[in-house]
Amino acid sequence: MSNRYVIILAAGMGTRMKSKLYKVLQPVAGKAMVDHVVTQVEKIHPDLIETVIGNGAEKVKDLLGDRTCYALQEEQLGTAHAVLQAEKDLGDKDGMTLIVSGDTPLFTADTFQKLFDYHEKQNAAVSILTAHAQDPFGYGRIIRDQKGNVSKVVEQKDASEEEKAIQEINTGVYCFDNKMLFENLHSVNNDNAQGEYYLPDVVSILKSQGEKIVAYQMSDLSESLGVNDRVALSQAEKLMRKRINEQHMRDGVTIVDPENTYIDVDVEIGNDTTIEPNVKIFGKTKIGSDCLIGLGSRIQDSIVEDGVTIISSTLEEAIMHTGSNIGPNSHLRPKADIGKGVHIGNFCEVKNAVIGDRTKVGHLSYVGDATLGTDINVGCGVVFVNYDGVKKFHSTIGDHSFIGSNSNVIAPVEMADHSFIAAGSSVNKDVPFHAMAIARPRQTNKEDYWDKLPLSKSEEWK
């Protein structure tokens, strides 16, 4: 098998995006477009990946790191000029070179593999990746001869009426004999309206030399979608999410309403988990088996173990261990670690806190900068007061403790195992083993207070 190389064109600014973020760095389903391309290319294990960078070069390198080599196109003078920048690393090598744009996030490794294999089998100078388009308007058309080889590629504006009727279109992806590619790149001129050097001109040059030009038609036109503006970006997002959701469903996940479920490409989900509508799962989230992710939940960069129930709640960089549950309308902020069998009820917030197994935080409570042991009951409206305006302080609550409703735990506080806080207390001292802390004024009843009020003389209030 011949050596295989890949050149990814990622130098353009993308002015039509009207964004401060460079085009190839625009995210689709949680991953930059150029990262999608590199990820798929990596799956076919080429001998070398070369990314041509220009605008935003350092940011692209920061993102991709050492997964690829780099060539710098300092001035964007067209696609042929961009490929030429890779000559230093690739120009003298034998083998095949695939060229793909960094703004085409939907191409799959399977398609790249098939193009390479077809090119090698045909022993061609160039293989053009094509697709069938029901409405080919705007695309370059593939004109074949009687043997099925490509006789020419004609752009929409240059096509005759007969050629416009052809539905096989050029996707802009090519596989070249590597040495032929670089030998002829220097022959490309910029005699066109844009004054740029175009890669398809190499195809024409090789054709004029009598070299074999072929086309491989892939089955799914949608893979070839190039993203040049926000409209195309939204189309790519929709197609990618459809692909992601279908794969999860094939792997045993129930997605109640796939069209209104948003899952990033790197998310992992176990089988027999059910995801209700309007759920958004982002980043590197991992969800186990037999979970329920309820309506409208939002989960980002979190770990959710088996048998967890999340009802209409938000998780950010949090962990929920096996059999725990949360919601509705609660929020786990970064470094929230929820133990096995823990119950977090409605309208609760947990941040930078460990909650031990089987502990219950029922409702309307805030737990921040704290370590809670096992089998604790946290009553309604409890607040861990962790911030004095300058520094954060930590509290530790022992196993089998009880914190009564509407209590404030003013950090730093340590409660021993089997200790208690009476409802309505504001506690700022440690609580010993088996003790109850009561930190509230004694109740005083003012007799006949009603008689002192003007309302007491109103007929309406008697």
Side-chain angles (χ1 to χ4, degrees):
M1 186 176 73
S2 300
N3 290 334
R4 299 183 175 192
Y5 314 107
V6 178
I7 297 174
I8 300 171
L9 305 182
M13 177 68 183
T15 54
R16 280 182 281 176
M17 297 298 295
K18 294 182 171 60
S19 174
K20 294 181 287 296
L21 187 64
Y22 301 106
K23 182 171 69 168
V24 297
L25 297 178
Q26 295 285 342
V28 172
K31 181 180 285 188
M33 291 194 289
V34 69
D35 196 349
H36 278 290
V37 178
V38 172
T39 298
Q40 295 303 313
V41 164
E42 287 172 329
K43 292 179 181 180
I44 63 173
H45 307 293
D47 295 279
L48 186 145
I49 305 171
E50 183 101 352
T51 302
V52 181
I53 53 178
N55 287 292
E58 291 305 315
K59 291 185 180 297
V60 175
K61 290 175 73 172
D62 288 345
L63 172 68
L64 300 178
D66 60 3
R67 296 163 63 191
T68 170
C69 298
Y70 299 95
L72 180 63
Q73 186 187 25
E74 294 182 357
E75 188 177 2
Q76 279 68 65
L77 298 176
T79 50
H81 179 261
V83 174
L84 190 59
Q85 308 313 302
E87 187 174 33
K88 180 179 178 181
D89 291 333
L90 287 171
D92 61 348
K93 295 184 181 298
D94 292 315
M96 305 174 288
T97 297
L98 173 75
I99 300 174
V100 61
S101 175
D103 63 1
T104 53
L106 296 169
F107 278 119
T108 63
D110 183 62
T111 295
F112 294 149
Q113 183 70 55
K114 287 176 177 177
L115 179 60
F116 265 132
D117 291 345
Y118 183 80
H119 178 82
E120 188 168 36
K121 182 179 179 181
Q122 293 294 319
N123 194 27
V126 187
S127 297
I128 305 169
L129 183 64
T130 69
H132 179 270
Q134 197 65 36
D135 178 10
F137 181 82
Y139 290 98
R141 308 300 204 280
I142 302 298
I143 313 300
R144 294 179 182 259
D145 61 24
Q146 292 180 343
K147 294 182 179 180
N149 293 328
V150 176
S151 59
K152 65 176 179 176
V153 180
V154 60
E155 297 303 317
Q156 170 78 29
K157 60 181 175 27
D158 301 321
S160 66
E161 290 304 314
E162 183 180 0
E163 290 169 337
K164 287 178 181 178
I166 294 172
Q167 293 180 308
E168 186 178 11
I169 58 96
N170 181 11
T171 68
V173 175
Y174 304 89
C175 190
F176 283 89
D177 175 280
N178 187 67
K179 281 191 172 179
M180 288 185 183
L181 169 64
F182 285 100
E183 285 169 0
N184 288 279
L185 276 170
H186 294 280
S187 300
V188 176
N189 63 53
N190 63 345
D191 186 18
N192 54 63
Q194 299 300 319
E196 295 186 351
Y197 300 89
Y198 292 132
L199 185 62
D201 289 352
V202 179
V203 179
S204 301
I205 292 169
L206 290 169
K207 182 67 178 177
S208 70
Q209 296 170 359
E211 299 292 347
K212 186 177 181 180
I213 313 298
V214 299
Y216 173 74
Q217 185 171 322
M218 65 180 187
S219 58
D220 185 2
L221 172 65
S222 69
E223 281 191 34
S224 67
L225 177 68
V227 177
N228 291 311
D229 58 22
R230 304 280 183 159
V231 175
L233 185 66
S234 70
Q235 292 169 346
E237 184 87 11
K238 184 174 182 179
L239 290 165
M240 183 67 78
R241 294 202 183 279
K242 182 175 184 291
R243 181 188 296 177
I244 292 166
N245 289 351
E246 287 178 355
Q247 186 59 54
H248 282 302
M249 288 187 284
R250 291 190 186 99
D251 290 341
V253 177
T254 296
I255 300 179
V256 176
D257 184 3
E259 292 185 357
N260 291 290
T261 300
Y262 309 89
I263 303 174
D264 276 356
V265 67
D266 289 328
V267 170
E268 299 176 22
I269 307 175
N271 66 332
D272 291 319
T273 284
T274 297
I275 300 176
E276 293 183 344
N278 294 319
V279 166
K280 298 181 179 181
I281 309 176
F282 301 125
K284 303 289 186 179
T285 295
K286 295 183 180 180
I287 296 175
S289 298
D290 303 299
C291 297
L292 172 63
I293 312 299
L295 180 73
S297 294
R298 180 186 177 99
I299 305 173
Q300 180 174 349
D301 295 314
S302 296
I303 296 173
V304 178
E305 294 184 349
D306 296 345
V308 168
T309 298
I310 299 171
I311 303 299
S312 303
S313 293
T314 297
L315 279 65
E316 304 172 79
E317 300 173 33
I319 300 174
M320 292 188 70
H321 293 282
T322 303
S324 57
N325 66 84
I326 187 171
N329 303 311
S330 285
H331 188 179
L332 299 184
R333 292 172 60 193
K335 298 182 180 179
D337 188 334
I338 309 304
K340 296 179 180 179
V342 167
H343 167 66
I344 306 291
N346 53 301
F347 297 101
C348 293
E349 182 175 317
V350 181
K351 188 265 308 179
N352 191 29
V354 176
I355 298 182
D357 297 349
R358 300 174 302 281
T359 287
K360 295 177 174 58
V361 183
H363 40 288
L364 299 165
S365 293
Y366 170 70
V367 182
D369 294 282
T371 300
L372 278 64
T374 63
D375 302 289
I376 295 168
N377 186 85
V378 178
C380 174
V382 169
V383 175
F384 280 73
V385 185
N386 57 336
Y387 184 49
D388 68 356
V390 179
K391 295 181 180 179
K392 297 287 182 72
F393 295 90
H394 193 88
S395 292
T396 301
I397 313 299
D399 298 343
H400 300 279
S401 296
F402 180 96
I403 303 177
S405 296
N406 200 36
S407 294
N408 297 314
V409 181
I410 304 173
V413 163
E414 289 196 18
M415 290 180 64
D417 295 348
H418 298 275
S419 59
F420 302 80
I421 293 178
S425 296
S426 290
V427 173
N428 62 358
K429 296 179 181 178
D430 294 348
V431 184
F433 181 72
H434 277 191
M436 174 186 281
I438 303 175
R440 61 192 185 205
R442 291 186 177 277
Q443 179 175 331
T444 301
N445 294 333
K446 300 293 185 179
E447 300 293 337
D448 298 322
Y449 183 73
W450 172 261
D451 294 336
K452 298 178 181 179
L453 298 176
L455 287 174
S456 66
K457 299 176 177 57
S458 168
E459 293 295 328
E460 182 180 349
W461 287 93
K462 284 184 179 180

